[in-house]
Amino acid sequence: MDFTPHSDADVTRMLGILSLERPEDLFSHIPEHARLDGALDLPTPLSEPEVMARIGGMSARNTAGLTCFAGGGIYDHYLPPVVRALTMRPEFVTSYTPYQSEVSQGVLQVLYEFQSMVAAITGLPIANASLYDGPTAGLEAVNLAVAATRRSEVWVSRGLNPHTREVIETFAHARDLTVIEHPIVGGRTAWAHDAPGEPAAMVFGQPNYLGVIEDYDEAVALAHDKGALAIAAVDPIMLGTLRSPGAAGCDVAFAEGQPLGNPMSFGGPVVGLFAVTEKLMRRVPGRLSGRTVDRFGRTGYTLTLRTREQDIRREKASSNICTNQTLNAVAAAIHLSWLGPNGIRETANQSIQKAHYLAKRIEQIKAVHIGVDSAFAREFPVLLPLDPDEVVLAMAERGYLAGIPLPHHYPDLPGGLLVAVTEQRTKEDLDGYATALEEVIADA
Amino acid sequence: MDFTPHSDADVTRMLGILSLERPEDLFSHIPEHARLDGALDLPTPLSEPEVMARIGGMSARNTAGLTCFAGGGIYDHYLPPVVRALTMRPEFVTSYTPYQSEVSQGVLQVLYEFQSMVAAITGLPIANASLYDGPTAGLEAVNLAVAATRRSEVWVSRGLNPHTREVIETFAHARDLTVIEHPIVGGRTAWAHDAPGEPAAMVFGQPNYLGVIEDYDEAVALAHDKGALAIAAVDPIMLGTLRSPGAAGCDVAFAEGQPLGNPMSFGGPVVGLFAVTEKLMRRVPGRLSGRTVDRFGRTGYTLTLRTREQDIRREKASSNICTNQTLNAVAAAIHLSWLGPNGIRETANQSIQKAHYLAKRIEQIKAVHIGVDSAFAREFPVLLPLDPDEVVLAMAERGYLAGIPLPHHYPDLPGGLLVAVTEQRTKEDLDGYATALEEVIADA
Amino acid sequence: MRDPGARASSTPLVGGSAEPTLRDLSAPGRQAWSLPDLDVPRRNLDLPEMADAPPALPEVAERDLVAHFTRLAHRNFGVDLGAYPLGSCTMKYNPKVCDWAAELPGFRDLHPSAPAQLTQGILEAVVEAERILCELTGMSRASFQPPAGAAGELTGLLIMRAYHQEKGHPRHKVVIPDASHGTNPASVTLAGYEAVSVPSNAKGMVDIDALRAVVDEDTAGLMLTNPNTLGLFEEDIEVIAQIIHEVDGLVYYDGANLNAILGVVRPGDMGFDIVHSNLHKTFATPHGGGGPGSGPVAVVERLIQYLPGPIPTPAGDGAIVWEQPAASIGRVHGNHGNMLVVVRALTYMLALGGPGLERVAQRSVLNARYLEHLVGKEYAIPYTAPCMHEFVASAENLKKETGIRAMDVAKALPDYGFHAPTVYFPLVVDEALMLEPTETESPETVEALAKALLEIADVARQDPEYLHDAPHHTPVSRLDDAGAARSPVLTWFMEDSQ
Amino acid sequence: MRDPGARASSTPLVGGSAEPTLRDLSAPGRQAWSLPDLDVPRRNLDLPEMADAPPALPEVAERDLVAHFTRLAHRNFGVDLGAYPLGSCTMKYNPKVCDWAAELPGFRDLHPSAPAQLTQGILEAVVEAERILCELTGMSRASFQPPAGAAGELTGLLIMRAYHQEKGHPRHKVVIPDASHGTNPASVTLAGYEAVSVPSNAKGMVDIDALRAVVDEDTAGLMLTNPNTLGLFEEDIEVIAQIIHEVDGLVYYDGANLNAILGVVRPGDMGFDIVHSNLHKTFATPHGGGGPGSGPVAVVERLIQYLPGPIPTPAGDGAIVWEQPAASIGRVHGNHGNMLVVVRALTYMLALGGPGLERVAQRSVLNARYLEHLVGKEYAIPYTAPCMHEFVASAENLKKETGIRAMDVAKALPDYGFHAPTVYFPLVVDEALMLEPTETESPETVEALAKALLEIADVARQDPEYLHDAPHHTPVSRLDDAGAARSPVLTWFMEDSQ
Ligand SMILES: Cc1ncc(COP(=O)(O)O)c(C=O)c1O
Ligand SMILES: Cc1ncc(COP(=O)(O)O)c(C=O)c1O
């Protein structure tokens, strides 16, 4: 296939006008010895049906059809066709970052509404127009805290998503930041209240990675006591029923926004949500869409507070982010408006109810235990008498993606499997899962 | 689910303004004894995920995945994603017939281009903006011929699609028209040149239903000799390589347009193509989009020659058609512009080459014969030593939709199976088909 | 004038020039198509009737093709963009889940000749849709072959004909009210009948005496829509049916207005014998810029035998088989009708269920009544009966006062963000504006529409010239329709001979 | 101001009012969501930290939601509508078959934690994309974790840091040309380095002497894009690389401009050690209104061990496993990167194949050179070297003559149906207009764009006021950006406190 419109005659005509002979002449000013002389080892072109057969074959060799009980930030929530249809409008899909506001009012207004709805669910007044994903949003939160406090120590809960911790580590390493991990006990963070040091931030998951609901007041009070920013990593769907980080007094909230309007997509593209208090507004990383007026006084939207950004501020920018995850933010905005206050609450409550139903079922399996003794929301660790990696493969044969094996990140939970439930799982799925798990364990 | 926006409070407020109390009061002027008092036996409402499970289940209980060798007007050609994506633009999908031309320039211009491209492939200067499907387009052609000639006899070839013949029969019966069928011999129409009568039209398939290429000159000369209109039912893809009905001197051409841009859709919605000579312009049934100018002289399009139509001319209209198959015509226009002259020719040629390759393979199977001895294009009848209905079921188990059993319409071809080939069938498909057929016959 | 190139200047978003045609955009050697090479040995087949050259289609690259059709879409209004109060057309919102359903490969990629054993899923969909439709209309069985309302009408009339033929009394006349839709008389002619018109009375309903006067033993039947095209419920419907039945005529229900009475009253209970439904109106299947639709015909018990066939029917063992009605009028579609439209409609019916379908009637009438209330002071409502799901107002007073006609009012609405209403139909009302808000518009939208209509009347008084030239904010202004009909240019081949 | 209702008046097609926000459209009790009832027994779980009320989200019906977002889409320009010559951004046409690929359920509905055994298909896609990317850039291996170009830069800089750390020479400075993209210096800071700027010379290229002057043993490396941001090929690239390599620095290739050199010359062959590619530019994955992108980082052999991981790697038995590079800098994305963007890019690469990819470079340069030729007389081209896939022109003369600035020229283009070019970047050119037609525009489109630019210059001379107020045919005119920044309104909660 070829997506250039030029016919051979077109090329000849254009070259002629440019007083060139052959297409190669376009590159004659490039030092000759640098230029490629032999052909590269690249694939032969395919026709469209051939490409489709090839890529379709790759798609078929993934077991996306398994009934999904894996979570860890990426959840299998119901994604209505209407959200998908609107998100994929070519005007949203094929436009660039809305620098040219007069012809980008669509994207700019959706981003303004996205910011507003992220503010609504987080209970914080300012939200940006998206970051790459939850974990990199965590990095930006830490970076913001470091800049705002001029400190270089970061306290993180071991209950924070391990991938978020790893991303923070990667960054901290380069910037000579000290990251102190606080343990989890019985599923909840046991903050070392009198640990020494001057943390820039205290970062925790709410619910945390094991699904457990943390104590907001303790964390926020401690953070503020230490002069640190309280930073919560939240599950956006759970905000349908849980107290918001803003209401709890957090300074910054970030989230993996995938469950809002985005398919699981093997983990990307998804979307990072990021919200802060008004005080931190000018430190926010990434784009902000703001409301203003045109010269006739008509309401319009524009990218604003641009002096925080790399293209204006260069090495002094609050972040290096340029391309973000706008289309995923558009999806999130559309999904949030589809859900509304009652839809998001019902989704959250059903997920929680079903998780607890499943936990009760699983508890009855011999030699299997729930791995936390604190209140959890829609996700929980199961302790198995077998290697959870093996269990996942065995459960896949029975049609289930059983969860995320925990030992890789929590060696102290050797038989741990993290099980997530969404409103999409029917009673039949839940019962079937428990039965299959029982069989797998009995078969071992 | 519910797609009315009204909240209960909205309803109460509106009723109040209308001085009504309960919603039922809206119907109090309907004679009470006519009004329903008990609830009807209607389904309970479903949530969206439940509807999707229900309908998805129905979809799964069809064997659309069989490799398709059935044709008879509906063909499994390659349908590029770009055609589908553009056709399904909501502005095309959710608009009404473009009466209000100022806000319907999109549909009107596409229809103008559709008409132009149907004219291009049929070689006739005038085409309309679509009819329901091929067979009902055949009915309209006959109706036009009857009106134009003021005669009441119609000659049809037995090689004309049997469903088209049936639709014409249904209509002829009501209108006291005499339909005379002319036989096929060796696959081609054997016109009874000296049959008595004054036909309004001579209607034949090109290629005909059995896939055979008819002799244009004979048919056209005879029709004109008899004072009848020569009407050809064409296969739009085959027009990529066959002589056009216009070039051959036909007065009217119609076609099942499905292969242009439309999925097989279990036979509908598809689209009827209809083209005529300039002389017959004012007798064309259905809508016509015409080019004109607005008050600033800008080019624009509008529905034109409206006095032929039912909403203006009522009982004197050239047809009763109102809603047609616009969206399917849009699909056809987009697909035709994707194909272009060389794409449609290559599609036609590949289909023909592959059909002949398959025929050669099938001929080698013991006790199986090709059912015609005339030149065919991309479709041909196979004569089997078994009941073709049974063969279709047995072939389905091997992954093939083997073709269309012919005995229902051609009792003189007792073991007949009509086999169609498109450019989509790979050599592997063709070889696999022949092997499977051989097995089925050997197993019997 | 060839104007190739993929400029976007035709999009209303960024400019106002006309969009070139595909032919303007075409250049030799450009190509969008892409196919694998032939994988069987190419033979010289020496077939007859081969063309010398391929057809004169345009040559465009995929990029230009996409831009062209995207820009054209931007030049078109649709329900998804806003309210579309086009009377008689029921332009309600079409749920996206129905789009999803119609795209399912199990339906979409199915060949119509696949035998029943291999297509039980879609046959179940048809059987279920038939059941719900019959329950809603009070009929016994239905055929989904007719692909639109007009095709349903023709089918119904052919059933009438078969009925009388069988009785040995072939008849010649079919009665239709003067306010009826144009397809009614056109179908009557096509079915070989003579159309006899019966006038409306001062209440906007069928004049019973006039009806009695034209009905006789040569009357095959009557076609009626109820609520009628004025949006009024024919209160004497049972008397009307009785008059027809007395001469052994059949009463045909044009179901275009079924939306207003879902779950409230049934054609069968009012005395109708044959009913067509417009799935593309009542059951939310989108209109596609003019189609496809689906116009299933349902009938009372004694007429089942005449239905077009075959019809999917559950057999004893639960499997669904194709069954041919005993005295079928024959085939009215090349295959089974617009099956994917039926799938959409069924999806809609199952989502709404009984309560949802009843709410459709309630709220479509509520919205219409509300709009009538809001605009009635300015645009006279010629009849006193309360309207159903739509109503006809008249711009006659405005015309007398200002010279501004119904057409001008309609053409001004797009400038306010709405599609125009139907105008000059039905013919019995002067300067008719036929407004149907549908149940899917919110009260605020109805209010905004009313406000726009009232503002237009104000402008008519202050600046009629402005309205003569309306619309002002659309890709083109009023077009020269007369010129288009006088020297028709219907294809780009005709451009050349201009 | 609450303005509910689903009027369409915000669509450019039919009017010009602002579109209400979702909050304006919200009314209590409206609902779009739809879920089955809970099918397990509801228990009182008595969980901590429960909220008293659900979040303050808007309440809208599906119909109003659809109209709202459809109208907003109509207020946005995109590549599908026309040419988008935004320099540095490579806004080429994105083939629809790639949309199809990214929607395949086997990719789309896949959880990132599913083990390799269950996801061999997508891992194969990544491995294949990596192979092609490495072949095109002359690198050895790549990681697809970085979700955009800037993330790729940070990743590359962290690799530099790890390299020097391992060598026992942690360094502090990274050199970047003054014309570089803003993400370059911002990434340098984020990675804990100091950015040292090196000026361009009169030819628009890196000043070699100035470079030598700043490079020393504390230089970790250099970041460069070639063709540079002026669209010029840095002819001394090998000397530059040598200067950096002499102090054991690493040379980083910002791949934003890779489009121009596909199959012509490879970063690896020019001496680069680390390369990021912008799949959302070069490999035709659409930009989504600002994202998602994908910024894979590829490196030479000796740097493989530092790549972020894990990376899918074919094992001996043909199966693909996740492998962690020996001295990995760690994770730079929460999962595997923007995998579905990689699927799109691979689809594009496979469709084009080697010859197609080379044609991309050829024709993007041909179009840019042609456009430069057509507008060069009016808009001065500040450098003499032939441009590659884009070029920077200056409106400085026009400004002197008429007062019309580059910004005014850019703002006028939408009235001609085109998106605006990039302006005032790079900073080294006064009144810069950075134009990149891309290879997917036809010659006629390039000509029409040139014509528009020349006409704008004419208008500048005749009616500069008109241009000061441009654009005139867009949903809004120029916005008060200063006011927006002065008293920011970033959410509708801030509206209330206004
Ligand atoms: C009252 C009435 N009857 C019949 C029809 C014809 O239906 P269709 O357009 O589906 O053929 C219509 C639709 O336009 C109508 O409004
Ligand atoms: C030259 C250059 N470098 C780097 C980038 C940053 O890439 P991204 O926007 O994907 O982060 C861009 C894109 O804007 C660019 O043009």
Side-chain angles (χ1 to χ4, degrees), chain A residues 96 322-323, chain D residues 88 148-150 153 181 183-184 225 229 254 256 278 280-281:
Chain A
Y96 198 74
C322 176
T323 292
Chain D
S88 196
E153 295 170 18
H181 191 261
T183 49
N184 291 186
T225 162
T229 53
D254 173 343
N278 286 25
H280 46 303
K281 299 181 196 264

Side-chain angles (χ1 to χ4, degrees), chain D residues 402-428:
Chain D
T402 67
I404 287 304
R405 305 187 52 207
M407 179 62 84
D408 301 314
V409 175
K411 295 285 183 198
L413 259 187
D415 286 343
Y416 292 83
F418 299 100
H419 193 276
T422 297
V423 286
Y424 303 112
F425 176 79
L427 304 170
V428 296

Side-chain angles (χ1 to χ4, degrees), chain B residues 403-421:
Chain B
I404 305 178
L406 286 169
H408 307 281
H409 294 295
Y410 296 89
D412 45 327
L413 296 173
L417 180 71
L418 187 62
V419 178
V421 180

Side-chain angles (χ1 to χ4, degrees), chain D residues 146-170:
Chain D
E153 295 170 18
L154 179 61
T155 303
L157 291 162
L158 295 182
I159 290 172
M160 262 187 209
R161 174 171 283 278
Y163 171 83
H164 292 297
Q165 210 114 34
E166 181 136 328
K167 290 235 168 167
H169 301 282

